[in-house]
Amino acid sequence: MPVSAISPIGILDSGAGGLSVLRHIHALLPAESLLYAADSAHLPYGDKTPAFIRERVNVLAAALVERGAKALVVACNTATAAAVESLRERYTMPVVGMEPAIKPAVLGSRSGVVGILATAAMVGSNRMKDLVQRYAGEREVVIQPCPGLVEQVERHALETPDTAHLLQQYLAPILEKGADTLVLGCTHYPFLRPMIERLAGPKVSVIDTGEAIARRLRSLLDESSLLNPAKDTGQLQFFSTAAGEAQTVLFSVLLEQSVVVEPLTENAIV
């Protein structure tokens, strides 16, 4: 399908976490129409194999491209590590992936210790290893897998004792090492940022990469002459492989506005 500057941007994630990135994109590029595809029937991706994740990401991307997307944003660190290169080989349009903000964290750390909260799959990925090797230098980077946090966000359990217990468990080894900078290595985690900041304390800086991703997307669209010149606000559409009332409620609560989540089939958005 031919695309132009007025075509929508496609954003995909394993579930609702990528909405944290969508918020930044919509704030920076309000004229752009956004299509959001969640693979909620198969989340979390953090305990899946790279091959499975690549297969699912390609299904989501194909659905968004069929709907007319002019660019793709893989709003999931785990999916980026497993599949972003395959998307770039398959499509000529701009493809933006997530990357834990290790470089700015290392540069901004005063104590010389940086912590990263991430999914198990991201922790074990070659992409994570490469980023640490490239940017850590003499700094210590403490990488903490966080099973269960994605599910807490998907249940909208953002301020519950169970979530607090998990976060205390995951933050403890990072804080014990003396980290003063914390990277949110999963797009679900910004929804837990208020609790993370309370538990980590005021001396720890928390970094969310969503805003940087939005700026990168704007730059790529500009380079490709695909920035929407309209002055009106673009449309937002939401799709999920597990669409239903629960998803509509979850998305609406996380975005703090009323939205409708429509079903996403295996081959196309309907």
Side-chain angles (χ1 to χ4, degrees):
M1 178 182 295
V3 299
S4 68
I6 63 172
S7 299
I9 295 164
I11 304 170
L12 63 90
D13 181 36
S14 63
L19 296 174
S20 67
V21 180
L22 179 143
R23 292 187 305 185
H24 287 291
I25 294 173
H26 187 52
L28 185 66
L29 302 169
E32 301 291 350
S33 292
L34 306 178
L35 305 174
Y36 185 89
D39 196 17
S40 299
H42 298 94
L43 71 84
Y45 279 177
D47 61 1
K48 305 298 192 300
T49 66
F52 179 86
I53 297 168
R54 276 193 297 274
E55 178 185 348
R56 296 306 308 163
V57 167
N58 275 285
V59 168
L60 298 180
L64 292 169
V65 170
E66 183 164 325
R67 189 70 175 183
K70 64 182 177 184
L72 293 172
V73 178
V74 184
C76 172
N77 287 271
T78 302
T80 295
V84 75
E85 294 307 325
S86 68
L87 292 183
R88 287 172 177 155
E89 291 173 1
R90 184 175 180 181
Y91 299 109
T92 58
M93 67 180 64
V95 177
V96 180
M98 301 298 298
E99 189 169 279
I102 297 175
K103 181 178 180 180
V106 166
L107 292 175
S109 174
R110 302 173 304 281
S111 69
V113 183
V114 169
I116 304 174
L117 301 177
T119 66
M122 188 63 195
V123 168
S125 69
N126 290 330
R127 192 176 188 88
M128 178 69 85
K129 295 172 186 175
D130 290 344
L131 289 170
V132 172
Q133 185 175 18
R134 189 186 315 165
Y135 297 124
E138 299 299 317
R139 307 287 177 134
E140 182 177 4
V141 178
V142 184
I143 307 173
Q144 176 62 48
C146 302
L149 287 187
V150 166
E151 291 89 335
Q152 291 302 97
V153 174
E154 293 287 334
R155 298 185 191 106
H156 189 230
L158 308 184
E159 292 285 349
T160 67
D162 287 344
T163 301
H165 176 74
L166 285 174
L167 283 172
Q168 288 169 334
Q169 176 184 336
Y170 299 146
L171 288 170
I174 294 173
L175 298 177
E176 286 171 4
K177 289 279 190 176
D180 66 351
T181 307
L182 187 63
V183 177
L184 304 181
C186 171
T187 55
H188 280 78
Y189 300 168
F191 292 112
L192 300 172
R193 184 170 183 164
M195 182 178 283
I196 291 170
E197 290 180 333
R198 288 199 305 272
L199 294 173
K203 294 183 180 180
V204 177
S205 300
V206 178
I207 300 179
D208 164 23
T209 57
E211 185 176 353
I213 295 303
R215 292 196 301 268
R216 176 60 176 161
L217 174 63
R218 179 178 62 182
S219 176
L220 290 176
L221 291 176
D222 190 29
E223 290 174 10
S224 304
S225 300
L226 287 174
L227 278 175
N228 194 327
K231 298 188 183 300
D232 296 333
T233 300
Q235 293 184 337
L236 305 181
Q237 292 180 272
F238 302 91
F239 306 90
S240 173
T241 53
E245 184 179 354
Q247 289 272 284
T248 292
V249 170
L250 174 65
F251 281 38
S252 297
V253 170
L254 292 179
L255 289 173
E256 299 181 333
Q257 62 176 292
S258 180
V259 303
V260 175
V261 181
E262 301 175 50
L264 175 75
T265 67
E266 288 297 293
N267 297 314
I269 296 174
V270 297

